[in-house]
Amino acid sequence: RCFAQSVVLAADLSPISIVKDLGYQCERNCLPQVYVQSVVGLGRAFGTWRAVAVTSVVVGGNSDMWDAIEGMDDDHITRGV
C-alpha cells in the first residue's frame, strides 16, 4: 500500500489542517518527511507556476522531480523523520 519513499511538504501551507494527519502517518510508516520553504518553490521544482502543497516521491517515479528538490538551497529545506 505504501509505495512512497518520502513525502515533501511546503512549510507555508495554510491552513495546516489540510495535512494535519500526514505527519503522523509518515512517522507511523517510518517515511521521511522533507519540508521546503514555500508552496511556490515546491511548484517550481515540478516545473509549474502553480503552488504545490504536498507530494510524495514514489518508487519508480519521476527522478527528475527528486533531483530538483535535492538541488534546492539548504535554506529552503528542512528534513524530518
Side-chain angles (χ1 to χ4, degrees), residues 10-52:
D12 68 343
L13 176 64
S14 179
I16 196 68
S17 61
I18 295 170
V19 293
K20 68 180 179 181
D21 190 49
L22 197 54
Y24 168 75
Q25 292 298 328
C26 288
E27 289 177 15
R28 184 173 161 228
N29 292 302
C30 298
L31 194 60
Q33 303 166 60
V34 178
Y35 292 87
V36 297
Q37 187 175 15
S38 71
V39 292
V40 174
L42 187 54
R44 289 190 182 154
F46 277 105
T48 181
W49 290 101
R50 293 191 179 267
V52 175

Side-chain angles (χ1 to χ4, degrees), residues 3-5 46 55-67:
F3 297 103
Q5 292 176 329
F46 277 105
T55 188
S56 63
V57 177
V58 179
V59 175
N62 184 352
S63 63
D64 292 340
M65 186 272 301
W66 183 246
D67 291 341

